[in-house]
Amino acid sequence: MRDDLFLRACKGAVTDRVPVWFMRQAGRSLPEYRAVRERHTILQVCRTPELAAEVTLQPVRRLGVDAAILFSDIVVPLQAMGVELDIAPGVGPVIASPIRSARDADRLRPLVPEEGVPFVLETVSALVEQLDVPLVGFAGAPFTLASYLVEGRPSRDHARTKALMLSDPPTWHKLMDRLSEAILACLRAQVRAGAAAVQLFDSWAGSLGPREYAAHVAPAVTRILSGLEDMGVPRIHFGVGTGELLELMAGTGTDVMGIDWRVPLSRARARLGDDVVLQGNLDPALCLAPFEVVRDKAQEVLAETGGRRHVFNLGHGVLPETDPDTLARLVDVVHEWRVR
Ligand code: 1CP
């Protein structure tokens, strides 16, 4: 590996430059990704190692980022657990028969990654051969995956998911147990195949209050993150709108806490202390502004941490409308900035 700046920063070392990568750096903002997607569905791309590796590499070549993120989707392991699903264009994951009872939850089969998602592991192995920056493996966290399984499709309020959580705790806990076991197996297999770090996406956990998160979600996340500890790779934990949950989320055993753009990093640092590395948190919408604005706002984000114990990223994924040249120039701004 040419450059382990990203890994050193994730481990809390003081580096002279701040590493940068972007959530959804592979995706619709890149014309070369859209060209692949004209010929293949997203699930085909995920299931074909040559294609998944190619779209993982696209942003690394074009943007000069310090880490690659595996191209896959959080719902891919669910298919291997027996869930019939599709990723509908312009919508997102759609589940054929949503899970709303104990009997439904019993349909979820245990995941043996080598048998259920061999193509993911082949993609990881192929990438590790080709990449000169670390590869971030990932999975969806139990709550976020449950929200798709229970709602059946993307949802704003996650109302049925929360209703199930509060009205039928045994079914909820069965769901959390099965999902956390599968996610842990999937992440461990990605690391064995060569992923140098892992990110757990609890994108929608911010829809919960702290009491519900602590009682009904945090134990499952803790099982996953503590179950990875012996592998020695940085564990990144991320959610959107999680300002009120940061202490609880960081307390599940995370090395790097992803912060969305609503919480200034200086405040996240004051709340979480020095033991956790912060990742974030430029508002992805700002990347649509003139570049001078992007540059000034990125420098503001960097000044929030002084560049210490900080991995630069957006506060959520790259928006499809983003000009890739803006992202490439943003990488340069971060790299030129000197740690204070
Ligand atoms: O057809 C397309 O190209 C649609 C967009 C898309 C992409 C690029 C989907 C559908 N999935 C993916 C790939 C993907 N998904 C990646 C790899 C790309 C990269 O990061 O470079 C990753 C990390 C994910 C993870 C993912 N999928 C998350 C967690 C990250 C996040 O953004 O919070 C979530 C919530 C999903 C579900 C999903 N898949 C696709 C969409 C549009 C959605 C969100 C639907 C919703 O709003 O609920």
Side-chain angles (χ1 to χ4, degrees):
M1 196 183 302
R2 171 177 59 88
D3 190 358
D4 67 347
L5 175 69
F6 165 75
L7 292 177
R8 284 184 285 128
C10 285
K11 289 179 178 162
V14 176
T15 52
D16 57 342
R17 292 183 301 140
V18 177
V20 48
W21 68 281
F22 303 116
M23 292 181 276
R24 293 276 164 114
Q25 63 191 17
R28 286 171 296 172
S29 66
L30 300 185
E32 56 271 39
Y33 173 80
R34 292 196 299 267
V36 172
R37 285 281 284 105
E38 269 172 30
R39 285 173 280 119
H40 307 277
T41 68
I42 183 153
L43 286 173
Q44 277 170 347
V45 178
C46 295
R47 300 178 73 93
T48 311
E50 298 72 38
L51 294 174
E54 168 56 23
V55 294
T56 302
L57 291 166
Q58 287 172 348
V60 179
R61 293 188 197 112
R62 186 194 264 261
L63 306 177
V65 283
D66 298 296
I69 176 143
L70 170 69
F71 192 88
S72 185
D73 194 85
I74 58 169
V75 298
V76 165
L78 298 178
Q79 271 193 318
M81 297 174 76
V83 177
E84 198 187 318
L85 62 87
D86 193 15
I87 299 183
V91 180
V94 179
I95 311 292
S97 313
I99 291 185
R100 296 186 181 152
S101 67
R103 202 165 349 121
D104 295 338
D106 278 330
R107 298 199 314 254
L108 287 175
R109 299 195 302 253
L111 177 71
V112 181
E114 290 74 12
E115 291 165 19
V117 290
F119 44 87
V120 170
L121 307 180
E122 283 166 38
T123 305
V124 172
S125 309
L127 281 165
V128 173
E129 299 272 305
Q130 297 175 61
L131 279 165
D132 52 14
V133 293
L135 178 68
V136 181
F138 74 91
F143 176 79
T144 291
L145 288 179
S147 80
Y148 291 106
L149 291 172
V150 176
E151 308 289 337
R153 55 195 296 115
S155 144
R156 261 178 214 286
D157 53 18
H158 310 290
R160 282 177 183 273
T161 312
K162 294 190 214 176
L164 178 73
M165 173 193 287
L166 297 173
S167 62
D168 187 354
T171 297
W172 180 258
H173 289 292
K174 179 181 286 194
L175 197 52
M176 291 295 99
D177 285 351
R178 298 213 173 180
L179 289 172
S180 51
E181 207 178 298
I183 294 160
L184 176 58
C186 189
L187 290 173
R188 290 188 68 91
Q190 290 178 40
V191 174
R192 281 196 303 271
V198 291
Q199 177 153 328
L200 192 62
F201 281 98
D202 214 347
S203 302
W204 314 136
S207 72
L208 295 169
R211 286 206 180 87
E212 283 66 38
Y213 180 84
H216 303 294
V217 175
V221 175
T222 304
R223 277 203 297 279
I224 297 168
L225 295 177
S226 60
L228 288 163
E229 197 166 6
D230 63 305
M231 302 200 96
V233 298
R235 297 158 296 177
I236 312 171
H237 189 188
F238 169 78
V240 184
T242 47
E244 210 51 45
L245 305 179
L246 285 183
E247 292 86 347
L248 292 168
M249 289 179 75
T252 56
T254 185
D255 303 302
V256 181
M257 193 63 222
I259 310 288
D260 86 359
W261 64 93
R262 295 171 182 89
V263 182
L265 293 183
S266 57
R267 198 167 313 157
R269 172 64 71 216
R271 283 171 52 185
L272 299 179
D274 287 334
D275 286 345
V276 73
V277 171
L278 302 178
Q279 176 173 282
N281 71 345
L282 186 71
D283 185 342
L286 290 178
C287 292
L288 307 185
F291 192 72
E292 301 68 58
V293 177
V294 179
R295 186 194 57 216
D296 290 356
K297 291 292 171 184
Q299 288 171 343
E300 264 176 47
V301 168
L302 288 160
E304 289 279 331
T305 61
R308 288 170 181 269
R309 307 172 72 77
H310 183 189
V311 173
F312 192 95
N313 205 312
L314 304 181
H316 197 187
V318 172
L319 295 171
E321 304 85 349
T322 309
D323 180 346
D325 289 343
T326 300
L327 296 177
R329 293 173 74 189
L330 175 55
V331 168
D332 291 340
V333 167
V334 177
H335 283 163
E336 280 157 18
W337 199 85
R338 285 289 164 265
V339 171
R340 294 167 183 173

